[in-house]
Amino acid sequence: MGSPTVLRRRLGGELGKLRASREMNAKDVAAALGWSASKLSRIESGQVPLQERDAAKLLAHYGVSSPEEVKHFLSLTRQSRQQGWWHAYGDAIPERYRAYVGFEADATRISTFQCELVPGLLQTERYARKVIRAMQPTESSEDVELRLALRLERQRILDRHGAPQVWAIIGEAVMRRPVGDGSVMAEQLDHIATVAESHPNVTVQVLPFSAGAHAAMGSSFSILSFSDIPGSMVYSETITSKTYMEQQPEISRHEDIFHRLMASSAQPERSISWLRKVAEEYST
């Protein structure tokens, strides 16, 4: 059925196309229904859940009378209002991050570049706990454990039926920066190599220091693609913000940068061997 986050985006896209096919202006539609223009904009972009009564108003305004078409839209509306499994983690998960988890859960392809730390989908429990505690130094132990549980739960998408294709590029600094003691790092690097070897849907490359300056210096990002909604999206985050980019020029720019990073990184087989070698260094 898909995650509610992605279903909202799909529903909004379909409603936007329906309005456009009627050659109706968004501002005029909103005014006719007694809504603000921003409300309709948020509905069509999938930023907010849509009430069934509001969906019915839109369909009536657009002249949709086919019982099957009305049933389709109302069913999609109900599904998009359901809570995802990640809501069980409560306030320990920031609202804007919940959106990312929803997109990640429904993505068919995830391309990610991380220059500072191991991507969340590839982190071990001990490594993840150290990272979460370091990044959230004032949080309670309970909230840290909730964040950890969510991170480990997210990783289940790698083994599910129809698992996404994941291509992860990590900077050499990720291997060299000790998070925890040597055993934590050895376990973590071995884990990345094992996942890449055992999962045909997971590819890992290491970007070496010797690559020098590159187009993504100082930044990390993920590109997510989906099967049932058009286009891709780019996600990036800083200490205080999480950004979603959906404009095609922004997406194309990040895709070009990712391909450049692929070309500058060690090939997958070489990267796996390198991860194993550095893991042995941490073990000695």
Side-chain angles (χ1 to χ4, degrees), residues 33 49 94 115 134 137 206 226 255 273:
L33 297 178
C115 59
V206 178
F226 311 89
E255 289 176 338
S273 299

Side-chain angles (χ1 to χ4, degrees), residues 116-138:
E116 286 289 326
L117 76 166
V118 174
L121 291 177
L122 299 175
Q123 291 179 10
T124 62
E125 181 176 345
R126 291 200 297 163
Y127 181 96
R129 183 180 284 108
K130 293 288 186 181
V131 167
I132 294 169
R133 171 50 73 195
M135 296 177 69
Q136 306 292 337
T138 62

Side-chain angles (χ1 to χ4, degrees), residues 17-257:
K17 289 179 181 177
L18 192 60
R19 175 180 57 75
S21 71
R22 267 58 172 177
E23 298 184 348
M24 293 183 179
N25 180 279
K27 185 177 180 181
D28 293 338
V29 171
L33 297 178
W35 298 350
S36 66
S38 62
K39 174 177 177 176
L40 182 58
S41 175
R42 290 194 299 272
I43 288 172
E44 291 188 354
S45 63
Q47 295 179 40
V48 295
L50 178 63
Q51 300 283 347
E52 282 189 60
R53 62 176 179 273
D54 286 341
K57 288 179 182 179
L58 277 172
L59 295 174
H61 189 73
Y62 296 151
V64 176
S65 57
S66 164
E68 293 216 352
E69 196 170 2
V70 171
K71 181 180 178 181
H72 162 73
F73 275 105
L74 294 183
S75 174
L76 191 55
T77 300
R78 283 192 294 273
Q79 293 171 16
S80 70
R81 290 187 59 80
Q82 296 177 3
Q83 291 191 333
W85 58 262
W86 51 90
H87 283 270
Y89 293 89
D91 294 337
I93 315 303
E95 184 61 35
R96 285 184 64 80
Y97 188 63
R98 293 182 192 181
Y100 175 77
V101 175
F103 288 127
E104 180 185 73
D106 227 45
T108 54
R109 182 176 179 84
I110 302 170
S111 302
T112 184
F113 169 65
Q114 298 294 329
C115 59
E116 286 289 326
L117 76 166
V118 174
L121 291 177
L122 299 175
Q123 291 179 10
T124 62
E125 181 176 345
R126 291 200 297 163
Y127 181 96
R129 183 180 284 108
K130 293 288 186 181
V131 167
I132 294 169
R133 171 50 73 195
M135 296 177 69
Q136 306 292 337
T138 62
E139 285 206 348
S140 67
S141 297
E142 291 78 8
D143 281 348
V144 169
E145 291 303 311
L146 276 173
R147 287 178 181 267
L148 173 63
L150 172 69
R151 189 159 303 181
L152 299 178
E153 181 74 15
R154 284 169 49 204
Q155 297 174 4
R156 295 178 64 179
I157 68 171
L158 299 179
D159 296 300
R160 75 183 182 200
H161 176 70
Q165 293 293 320
V166 177
W167 197 296
I169 300 176
I170 60 174
E172 184 177 348
V174 175
M175 296 195 300
R176 302 300 182 184
R177 183 184 305 283
V179 174
D181 60 23
S183 68
V184 172
M185 287 302 298
E187 177 187 51
Q188 176 61 81
L189 299 183
D190 270 330
H191 176 72
I192 298 172
T194 297
V195 172
E197 287 178 324
S198 62
H199 291 67
N201 57 309
V202 177
T203 302
V204 175
Q205 288 184 272
V206 178
L207 178 67
F209 290 141
S210 60
H214 57 82
M217 291 187 71
S219 64
S220 296
F221 62 90
S222 296
I223 307 170
L224 295 91
S225 303
F226 311 89
S227 61
D228 60 349
I229 53 177
S232 301
M233 72 174 352
V234 175
Y235 171 80
S236 64
E237 62 180 282
T238 64
I239 293 174
T240 58
S241 67
K242 295 170 176 58
T243 303
Y244 299 89
M245 292 168 273
E246 300 184 69
Q247 298 301 314
Q248 191 54 51
E250 296 173 325
I251 295 169
S252 296
R253 173 62 174 154
H254 282 81
E255 289 176 338
D256 176 67
I257 289 174

